[in-house]
Amino acid sequence: MKFLAYTHANPLIQGSGGEKCLQGFLEKLAEKGTDVYCYCSNDNKWRKKKVKDVFYDHLKERTLDDILDEIKPDYVVTQFFNSKDAIRKSHIRGIRVIYLVHNDFEISTGKELKMLNSTDYAVFNTFWIAKKMLTKAQKFVIHPIIQTKDVKVNRKYITLINPSKAKGSSIFDILAMKNPDKEFLAVGGGYGKQENFNRKNIKEIGNTQNIFEDVYAKTKILMMPSMYESYGMCAAEAAYCGIPVIASKTAGLKECLGESGIYINSINWIDWNKKLQLLEDDNIYLRYSNLVKNHIQEDFKKEYFENFYKNLKK
């Protein structure tokens, strides 16, 4: 089988959740011995590259029509901004679509879902989103496939990834101010306006493709005071490293972390500070570290992708 992914941003460059999710999905397809191509309409300086048997390239002067007619894929994989174009042009050619759904925003996701037909696939990143979104397509849930790496952990920083208003940068800033004896780390995200901090105990680094070495190896606690998380790939990555996660009580983070997360349903910095103080107890820290690592490892064992691929082969 041939798979053609059409996306606006190259997953090898754009280090955000949706692109990393797409990358993991394509690599799993390639592991099955299929031909997998990924063409990006953005990142026009990018040149051909093959990573883990996935062929990446930019459209350059060509169009999606040109690529579709050249490769003649069995399936087109798409997400986000290019989805409408990909779905429409695939259907004209009788090509089935695999649409990756990362949120429950009716204004964007809902429109694309309505374009799909019964021979297409809607692949949701969580069960809670799959339950509420309507489509004629065959529905599957695949929790994001995490790019894991074993690193030697130096428990040092209280970390926030993607320091934007929507991800809780203001709470993070106040906590750093109220805890001058603790060290904080702010890691640039792939989307949204990034907030800058003017505090001696906050170290700031940019978006990184080596997040396990540059971030999780140095993180003691991951903070996610987000207004919205459909799943929370950062939480899953941190959990793999045994890093306790203090998180907003969003539907996505609850599905990601289960009972292993430390949840706060508040925007009051005092409530977040209490949880930081709780983890100063070594025994409590170790309990949550083991709990979160065991939880995510059990979730990794579930055959989300395998069940989807078995249906695809039929």
Side-chain angles (χ1 to χ4, degrees):
M1 287 189 291
K2 287 183 182 180
F3 295 85
L4 170 64
Y6 180 55
T7 182
H8 71 289
N10 193 312
L12 302 180
I13 298 175
Q14 185 80 27
S16 52
E19 279 66 42
K20 290 165 73 175
C21 185
L22 173 63
Q23 181 183 356
F25 181 78
L26 297 180
E27 289 176 2
K28 291 294 286 185
L29 287 173
E31 285 177 12
K32 298 296 183 181
T34 63
D35 296 323
V36 184
Y37 305 83
C38 181
Y39 279 84
C40 315
S41 59
N42 217 345
D43 306 318
N44 59 10
K45 293 182 180 180
W46 182 263
R47 292 298 175 261
K48 295 179 182 179
K49 190 171 184 179
K50 194 172 186 179
V51 178
K52 293 187 178 180
D53 293 325
V54 179
F55 177 87
Y56 295 89
D57 201 1
H58 182 261
L59 286 179
K60 300 183 182 70
E61 292 79 24
R62 294 169 295 176
T63 66
L64 175 59
D65 293 283
D66 296 330
I67 301 300
L68 286 169
D69 294 337
E70 175 189 328
I71 294 177
K72 295 181 172 57
D74 298 291
Y75 291 93
V76 166
V77 183
T78 191
Q79 62 182 29
F80 295 139
F81 307 113
N82 289 350
S83 297
K84 289 180 183 177
D85 198 31
I87 294 170
R88 182 169 56 252
K89 292 181 177 179
S90 296
H91 284 174
I92 289 172
R93 292 165 172 80
I95 300 172
R96 294 181 177 184
V97 174
I98 300 172
Y99 177 46
L100 304 185
V101 186
H102 302 284
N103 59 58
D104 64 331
F105 302 153
E106 184 66 34
I107 194 170
S108 56
T109 301
K111 292 179 180 178
E112 282 82 352
L113 283 170
K114 289 179 175 66
M115 293 176 66
L116 301 176
N117 58 43
S118 61
T119 60
D120 295 323
Y121 290 88
V123 178
F124 298 85
N125 67 344
T126 45
F127 288 96
W128 78 271
I129 292 179
K131 287 178 181 177
K132 67 181 296 186
M133 303 302 285
L134 300 176
T135 180
K136 294 178 182 177
Q138 301 174 66
K139 296 170 73 171
F140 281 85
V141 172
I142 302 178
H143 279 173
I145 299 162
I146 307 300
Q147 309 291 314
T148 58
K149 191 168 186 179
D150 293 320
V151 292
K152 185 177 180 180
V153 177
N154 174 20
R155 315 277 188 186
K156 183 178 182 181
Y157 293 110
I158 297 166
T159 298
L160 174 70
I161 298 173
N162 193 355
S164 61
K165 293 292 185 184
K167 300 294 183 181
S169 60
S170 57
I171 293 175
F172 181 77
D173 188 32
I174 294 173
L175 288 171
M177 178 181 67
K178 298 293 184 180
N179 294 277
D181 57 321
K182 293 182 173 63
E183 294 187 78
F184 292 74
L185 176 64
V187 183
Y191 286 113
K193 181 188 176 186
Q194 306 292 286
E195 300 295 325
N196 295 315
F197 306 97
N198 186 25
R199 301 201 184 280
K200 292 181 179 180
N201 62 332
I202 298 182
K203 180 179 179 180
E204 299 180 58
I205 66 172
N207 186 264
T208 174
Q209 292 295 315
N210 301 309
I211 195 164
F212 279 86
E213 296 93 335
D214 296 342
V215 178
Y216 300 125
K218 305 170 185 177
T219 295
K220 182 178 181 180
I221 299 167
L222 181 69
M223 295 196 61
M224 297 190 71
S226 308
M227 295 173 60
Y228 179 91
E229 291 286 351
S230 64
Y231 177 70
M233 287 188 72
C234 295
E237 291 168 342
Y240 177 81
C241 297
I243 299 168
V245 182
I246 304 177
S248 297
K249 204 171 185 179
T250 70
L253 286 168
K254 285 166 62 181
E255 182 165 332
C256 175
L257 297 170
E259 296 300 316
S260 72
I262 303 171
Y263 300 110
I264 301 176
N265 193 20
S266 167
I267 58 172
N268 190 325
W269 74 268
I270 295 175
D271 296 323
W272 290 84
N273 200 48
K274 286 178 181 177
K275 297 302 183 182
L276 286 180
Q277 293 172 346
L278 176 72
L279 291 175
E280 289 179 1
D281 184 304
D282 290 341
N283 291 327
I284 295 176
Y285 183 92
L286 182 61
R287 178 162 63 86
Y288 275 105
S289 175
N290 291 332
L291 190 65
V292 76
K293 188 174 183 67
N294 291 337
H295 169 79
I296 208 66
Q297 287 179 340
E298 286 302 311
D299 193 64
F300 286 173
K301 293 177 184 177
K302 296 176 181 177
E303 297 186 341
Y304 300 116
F305 180 84
E306 294 300 326
N307 292 334
F308 165 75
Y309 192 73
K310 285 177 184 176
N311 187 279
L312 206 66
K313 287 178 67 177
K314 292 179 182 178

